[in-house]
Coordinates of all heavy atoms in Angstrom, one line a residue:
M1 N 50.3 -43.2 -35.6 CA 49.5 -42.3 -36.3 C 49.1 -41.2 -35.3 O 48.8 -41.4 -34.1 CB 48.2 -43.0 -36.7 CG 47.3 -42.0 -37.5 SD 45.7 -42.7 -38.0 CE 46.1 -44.1 -38.9
D2 N 49.2 -40.0 -35.8 CA 48.9 -38.8 -34.9 C 47.5 -38.8 -34.5 O 46.6 -39.1 -35.2 CB 49.2 -37.5 -35.7 CG 49.2 -36.3 -34.9 OD1 50.3 -36.0 -34.2 OD2 48.2 -35.6 -34.8
K3 N 47.3 -38.4 -33.2 CA 45.9 -38.3 -32.6 C 45.0 -37.4 -33.4 O 43.8 -37.7 -33.5 CB 46.1 -37.9 -31.2 CG 44.7 -37.8 -30.5 CD 44.9 -37.4 -29.0 CE 43.5 -37.3 -28.4 NZ 43.6 -36.7 -27.0
N4 N 45.5 -36.4 -34.0 CA 44.7 -35.4 -34.8 C 44.1 -36.1 -36.0 O 43.0 -35.7 -36.4 CB 45.5 -34.2 -35.2 CG 45.7 -33.2 -34.1 OD1 44.7 -32.9 -33.4 ND2 46.9 -32.7 -33.9
R5 N 44.7 -37.1 -36.5 CA 44.2 -37.8 -37.7 C 42.9 -38.6 -37.3 O 41.9 -38.5 -37.9 CB 45.2 -38.8 -38.3 CG 46.2 -38.1 -39.1 CD 47.2 -39.1 -39.6 NE 46.9 -39.4 -41.0 CZ 47.7 -40.0 -41.9 NH1 48.9 -40.4 -41.5 NH2 47.3 -40.3 -43.1
T6 N 43.0 -39.3 -36.2 CA 41.8 -40.1 -35.7 C 40.7 -39.2 -35.2 O 39.5 -39.4 -35.5 CB 42.2 -41.1 -34.7 OG1 42.9 -40.4 -33.6 CG2 43.1 -42.2 -35.2
E7 N 41.1 -38.2 -34.4 CA 40.1 -37.2 -33.9 C 39.4 -36.4 -35.1 O 38.2 -36.2 -35.1 CB 40.7 -36.3 -32.9 CG 41.0 -36.9 -31.6 CD 39.8 -37.5 -30.9 OE1 38.8 -36.8 -30.7 OE2 39.9 -38.7 -30.4
G8 N 40.2 -36.0 -36.0 CA 39.7 -35.3 -37.2 C 38.7 -36.2 -38.0 O 37.7 -35.7 -38.4
T9 N 39.0 -37.4 -38.1 CA 38.1 -38.3 -38.9 C 36.8 -38.5 -38.1 O 35.7 -38.4 -38.7 CB 38.8 -39.7 -39.1 OG1 40.0 -39.5 -39.8 CG2 37.9 -40.7 -39.8
K10 N 36.9 -38.6 -36.8 CA 35.7 -38.7 -36.0 C 34.8 -37.5 -36.2 O 33.6 -37.6 -36.4 CB 36.0 -38.9 -34.5 CG 36.4 -40.3 -34.1 CD 36.4 -40.4 -32.6 CE 37.8 -40.7 -32.1 NZ 37.9 -40.8 -30.6
H11 N 35.4 -36.3 -36.1 CA 34.6 -35.1 -36.3 C 34.1 -34.9 -37.7 O 32.9 -34.4 -37.9 CB 35.5 -33.8 -35.9 CG 35.7 -33.7 -34.5 ND1 34.7 -33.3 -33.6 CD2 36.8 -33.8 -33.7 CE1 35.2 -33.2 -32.4 NE2 36.5 -33.6 -32.4
E12 N 34.8 -35.4 -38.6 CA 34.4 -35.3 -40.0 C 33.1 -36.1 -40.2 O 32.1 -35.7 -40.8 CB 35.5 -35.8 -41.0 CG 35.2 -35.5 -42.4 CD 36.4 -35.9 -43.3 OE1 37.5 -36.2 -42.8 OE2 36.2 -35.9 -44.5
V13 N 33.2 -37.4 -39.7 CA 32.0 -38.3 -39.8 C 30.8 -37.7 -39.0 O 29.7 -37.7 -39.6 CB 32.4 -39.7 -39.4 CG1 31.2 -40.6 -39.3 CG2 33.4 -40.3 -40.3
K14 N 31.1 -37.3 -37.8 CA 30.0 -36.8 -37.0 C 29.3 -35.6 -37.6 O 28.1 -35.4 -37.6 CB 30.5 -36.4 -35.6 CG 29.5 -36.0 -34.6 CD 30.2 -35.7 -33.3 CE 29.2 -34.9 -32.3 NZ 29.9 -34.4 -31.1
G15 N 30.2 -34.7 -38.2 CA 29.6 -33.5 -38.8 C 28.8 -33.8 -40.1 O 27.8 -33.2 -40.3
A16 N 29.3 -34.8 -40.8 CA 28.6 -35.2 -42.0 C 27.2 -35.8 -41.7 O 26.2 -35.5 -42.3 CB 29.4 -36.3 -42.8
V17 N 27.1 -36.6 -40.6 CA 25.9 -37.2 -40.2 C 24.9 -36.0 -39.7 O 23.7 -36.0 -40.1 CB 26.1 -38.2 -39.0 CG1 24.8 -38.6 -38.4 CG2 26.8 -39.4 -39.6
K18 N 25.5 -35.1 -38.9 CA 24.7 -34.0 -38.4 C 24.2 -33.1 -39.6 O 23.0 -32.7 -39.6 CB 25.5 -33.1 -37.5 CG 24.7 -32.1 -36.7 CD 25.6 -31.2 -35.9 CE 26.4 -31.9 -34.8 NZ 27.1 -30.9 -33.9
E19 N 25.0 -32.9 -40.6 CA 24.6 -32.1 -41.8 C 23.5 -32.8 -42.5 O 22.5 -32.2 -42.9 CB 25.8 -32.0 -42.7 CG 25.5 -31.1 -43.9 CD 26.8 -31.0 -44.8 OE1 27.7 -31.8 -44.7 OE2 26.8 -30.1 -45.6
V20 N 23.6 -34.1 -42.8 CA 22.5 -34.9 -43.5 C 21.2 -34.8 -42.6 O 20.1 -34.6 -43.2 CB 23.0 -36.3 -43.8 CG1 21.8 -37.2 -44.2 CG2 24.1 -36.3 -44.8
A21 N 21.3 -35.0 -41.3 CA 20.2 -35.0 -40.5 C 19.5 -33.6 -40.6 O 18.2 -33.5 -40.6 CB 20.5 -35.3 -39.0
G22 N 20.3 -32.6 -40.6 CA 19.7 -31.2 -40.7 C 19.0 -31.0 -42.0 O 17.9 -30.4 -42.1
K23 N 19.6 -31.5 -43.1 CA 18.9 -31.4 -44.4 C 17.6 -32.2 -44.4 O 16.6 -31.7 -44.9 CB 19.9 -32.0 -45.5 CG 21.0 -31.0 -45.9 CD 21.8 -31.7 -47.0 CE 23.0 -30.7 -47.3 NZ 23.9 -31.3 -48.3
F24 N 17.7 -33.4 -43.9 CA 16.5 -34.3 -43.9 C 15.3 -33.7 -43.1 O 14.2 -33.8 -43.5 CB 16.9 -35.6 -43.3 CG 15.8 -36.6 -43.4 CD1 15.4 -37.2 -44.6 CD2 15.1 -37.0 -42.2 CE1 14.3 -38.1 -44.6 CE2 14.1 -38.0 -42.2 CZ 13.7 -38.5 -43.5
T25 N 15.7 -33.1 -41.9 CA 14.6 -32.5 -41.1 C 14.3 -31.1 -41.4 O 13.4 -30.5 -40.8 CB 15.0 -32.6 -39.6 OG1 16.2 -31.9 -39.4 CG2 15.2 -34.1 -39.2
G26 N 15.1 -30.4 -42.3 CA 14.8 -29.0 -42.6 C 15.4 -28.1 -41.5 O 15.1 -26.9 -41.5
D27 N 16.3 -28.6 -40.7 CA 16.9 -27.8 -39.6 C 18.2 -27.2 -40.1 O 19.2 -27.8 -40.1 CB 17.2 -28.7 -38.4 CG 17.7 -28.0 -37.2 OD1 18.1 -26.8 -37.3 OD2 17.6 -28.5 -36.1
K28 N 18.0 -26.0 -40.6 CA 19.2 -25.3 -41.3 C 20.3 -25.1 -40.3 O 21.5 -25.2 -40.7 CB 18.7 -23.9 -41.8 CG 19.6 -23.4 -42.8 CD 19.7 -24.2 -44.1 CE 20.4 -23.5 -45.2 NZ 20.7 -24.3 -46.3
A29 N 20.0 -24.8 -39.0 CA 21.1 -24.6 -38.0 C 21.9 -25.9 -37.8 O 23.1 -25.8 -37.8 CB 20.5 -24.1 -36.7
K30 N 21.2 -27.0 -37.7 CA 21.9 -28.3 -37.6 C 22.8 -28.6 -38.8 O 23.9 -29.1 -38.8 CB 21.0 -29.4 -37.3 CG 21.6 -30.8 -37.0 CD 20.6 -31.8 -36.7 CE 20.3 -31.8 -35.2 NZ 19.6 -32.9 -34.8
E31 N 22.2 -28.3 -40.0 CA 22.9 -28.5 -41.3 C 24.2 -27.7 -41.3 O 25.2 -28.3 -41.7 CB 22.0 -28.2 -42.4 CG 22.5 -28.4 -43.8 CD 21.6 -28.0 -44.9 OE1 20.4 -27.8 -44.7 OE2 22.1 -27.9 -46.0
V32 N 24.1 -26.5 -41.0 CA 25.3 -25.6 -41.0 C 26.3 -26.0 -40.0 O 27.5 -26.1 -40.2 CB 24.9 -24.1 -40.8 CG1 26.1 -23.2 -40.6 CG2 24.1 -23.6 -42.0
S33 N 25.8 -26.3 -38.8 CA 26.7 -26.8 -37.7 C 27.4 -28.1 -38.1 O 28.6 -28.2 -37.9 CB 25.9 -27.1 -36.4 OG 26.6 -27.6 -35.4
G34 N 26.7 -29.0 -38.7 CA 27.3 -30.2 -39.2 C 28.4 -30.0 -40.3 O 29.5 -30.6 -40.3
N35 N 28.1 -29.0 -41.2 CA 29.0 -28.7 -42.2 C 30.3 -28.1 -41.6 O 31.4 -28.5 -42.0 CB 28.4 -27.7 -43.2 CG 29.3 -27.4 -44.4 OD1 30.2 -26.6 -44.3 ND2 29.1 -28.1 -45.5
I36 N 30.2 -27.2 -40.6 CA 31.3 -26.6 -40.0 C 32.2 -27.7 -39.3 O 33.4 -27.7 -39.4 CB 30.9 -25.5 -39.0 CG1 30.3 -24.3 -39.8 CG2 32.0 -25.1 -38.1 CD1 29.6 -23.3 -38.9
E37 N 31.5 -28.6 -38.6 CA 32.2 -29.6 -37.8 C 32.9 -30.6 -38.8 O 34.1 -31.0 -38.6 CB 31.3 -30.4 -36.9 CG 32.0 -31.4 -36.1 CD 31.1 -32.1 -35.0 OE1 29.9 -31.7 -34.9 OE2 31.6 -32.9 -34.3
K38 N 32.2 -30.9 -39.9 CA 32.8 -31.8 -40.9 C 34.1 -31.1 -41.5 O 35.1 -31.8 -41.6 CB 31.8 -32.0 -42.0 CG 32.4 -32.9 -43.2 CD 31.3 -33.1 -44.2 CE 31.1 -31.9 -45.0 NZ 30.2 -32.0 -46.2
N39 N 34.0 -29.9 -41.8 CA 35.2 -29.2 -42.4 C 36.3 -29.0 -41.4 O 37.5 -29.1 -41.7 CB 34.8 -27.9 -43.0 CG 34.0 -28.1 -44.3 OD1 34.3 -29.0 -45.1 ND2 33.0 -27.3 -44.5
A40 N 36.0 -28.7 -40.1 CA 37.0 -28.6 -39.1 C 37.7 -30.0 -38.9 O 38.9 -30.0 -38.7 CB 36.3 -28.2 -37.8
G41 N 36.9 -31.1 -39.0 CA 37.5 -32.4 -38.9 C 38.5 -32.7 -40.0 O 39.5 -33.3 -39.8
K42 N 38.1 -32.2 -41.2 CA 39.0 -32.4 -42.4 C 40.4 -31.6 -42.1 O 41.4 -32.2 -42.4 CB 38.4 -31.8 -43.6 CG 37.3 -32.7 -44.2 CD 36.7 -32.1 -45.5 CE 35.6 -33.0 -46.0 NZ 35.1 -32.4 -47.3
V43 N 40.3 -30.4 -41.6 CA 41.5 -29.6 -41.3 C 42.3 -30.3 -40.2 O 43.5 -30.5 -40.3 CB 41.1 -28.2 -40.9 CG1 42.3 -27.5 -40.3 CG2 40.5 -27.5 -42.0
Q44 N 41.6 -30.8 -39.2 CA 42.3 -31.5 -38.1 C 43.0 -32.7 -38.6 O 44.2 -33.0 -38.2 CB 41.4 -31.8 -36.9 CG 42.0 -32.4 -35.7 CD 41.1 -32.7 -34.6 OE1 39.8 -32.6 -34.8 NE2 41.6 -33.0 -33.4
K45 N 42.4 -33.5 -39.5 CA 43.0 -34.7 -40.0 C 44.2 -34.4 -40.8 O 45.2 -35.1 -40.8 CB 41.9 -35.4 -40.9 CG 42.4 -36.7 -41.4 CD 41.2 -37.5 -42.0 CE 40.7 -36.9 -43.3 NZ 39.7 -37.7 -44.0
E46 N 44.2 -33.3 -41.6 CA 45.3 -32.8 -42.4 C 46.5 -32.4 -41.5 O 47.6 -32.7 -41.8 CB 45.0 -31.7 -43.4 CG 44.1 -32.2 -44.5 CD 44.8 -33.3 -45.3 OE1 46.0 -33.2 -45.7 OE2 44.1 -34.3 -45.6
V47 N 46.2 -31.8 -40.4 CA 47.2 -31.4 -39.4 C 47.9 -32.6 -38.9 O 49.1 -32.7 -38.8 CB 46.6 -30.5 -38.2 CG1 47.6 -30.4 -37.1 CG2 46.2 -29.2 -38.8
G48 N 47.1 -33.6 -38.6 CA 47.7 -34.9 -38.1 C 48.5 -35.6 -39.1 O 49.6 -36.1 -38.8
K49 N 48.1 -35.5 -40.4 CA 48.8 -36.1 -41.5 C 50.2 -35.4 -41.6 O 51.2 -36.0 -41.8 CB 48.0 -36.0 -42.8 CG 48.7 -36.7 -43.9 CD 47.8 -36.7 -45.2 CE 48.5 -37.4 -46.3 NZ 48.4 -36.7 -47.5
A50 N 50.1 -34.1 -41.6 CA 51.4 -33.3 -41.7 C 52.3 -33.7 -40.5 O 53.5 -33.8 -40.7 CB 51.1 -31.8 -41.7
A51 N 51.8 -33.8 -39.3 CA 52.7 -34.2 -38.2 C 53.3 -35.6 -38.4 O 54.5 -35.8 -38.1 CB 51.8 -34.2 -36.9
D52 N 52.5 -36.5 -38.9 CA 53.0 -37.8 -39.2 C 54.1 -37.8 -40.3 O 55.2 -38.4 -40.1 CB 51.9 -38.8 -39.7 CG 51.0 -39.3 -38.6 OD1 51.5 -39.2 -37.4 OD2 49.9 -39.8 -38.9
D53 N 53.9 -37.0 -41.3 CA 54.8 -36.8 -42.4 C 56.1 -36.2 -41.9 O 57.2 -36.6 -42.2 CB 54.3 -36.0 -43.5 CG 53.2 -36.7 -44.3 OD1 53.1 -38.0 -44.2 OD2 52.5 -36.1 -45.1
A54 N 56.0 -35.2 -41.0 CA 57.2 -34.6 -40.4 C 58.0 -35.5 -39.6 O 59.2 -35.5 -39.6 CB 56.7 -33.4 -39.5
R55 N 57.3 -36.4 -38.8 CA 58.0 -37.4 -38.0 C 58.8 -38.4 -38.9 O 59.8 -38.9 -38.5 CB 57.0 -38.1 -37.1 CG 56.8 -37.4 -35.8 CD 56.1 -38.3 -34.8 NE 54.7 -38.6 -35.1 CZ 53.7 -37.7 -34.8 NH1 53.9 -36.6 -34.2 NH2 52.5 -38.1 -35.2
K56 N 58.2 -38.7 -40.1 CA 58.8 -39.7 -41.0 C 59.9 -39.0 -41.8 O 60.6 -39.7 -42.5 CB 57.7 -40.2 -41.9 CG 56.7 -41.1 -41.3 CD 55.7 -41.6 -42.3 CE 54.6 -42.3 -41.6 NZ 53.5 -42.6 -42.5
G57 N 60.0 -37.7 -41.8 CA 61.0 -37.0 -42.5 C 60.7 -36.7 -43.9 O 61.6 -36.5 -44.8
H58 N 59.4 -36.6 -44.3 CA 59.0 -36.3 -45.7 C 59.0 -34.9 -45.9 O 58.6 -34.0 -45.4 CB 57.6 -36.9 -46.0 CG 57.7 -38.4 -46.1 ND1 57.0 -39.2 -45.2 CD2 58.2 -39.2 -46.9 CE1 57.2 -40.5 -45.5 NE2 58.0 -40.5 -46.6

């Protein structure tokens, strides 16, 4: 499995937690930061998936 898949998943989860914490505390900056990190993690995960697929010849 490509490293980007695992790292992307970590960032996605961390960002989601940060986003919820920001919503809960009313910290808009933390909420936005979490959303950005979550979405960046999703992109990174997809890059890793594409690399895995390319190695498999799909």
Side-chain angles (χ1 to χ4, degrees):
M1 183 184 306
D2 190 85
K3 181 181 177 186
N4 280 314
R5 285 180 97 165
T6 54
E7 289 299 312
T9 300
K10 282 192 241 180
H11 285 291
E12 190 176 351
V13 170
K14 183 179 169 190
V17 169
K18 193 186 293 187
E19 183 180 17
V20 169
K23 284 181 183 177
F24 183 73
T25 61
D27 185 343
K28 197 69 172 168
K30 184 179 275 190
E31 182 181 343
V32 170
S33 173
N35 185 280
I36 291 169
E37 185 170 0
K38 178 179 73 175
N39 288 320
K42 286 180 182 182
V43 170
Q44 185 177 12
K45 187 167 65 171
E46 288 302 313
V47 167
K49 185 177 181 223
D52 282 342
D53 288 347
R55 276 194 287 277
K56 292 177 187 174
H58 289 113

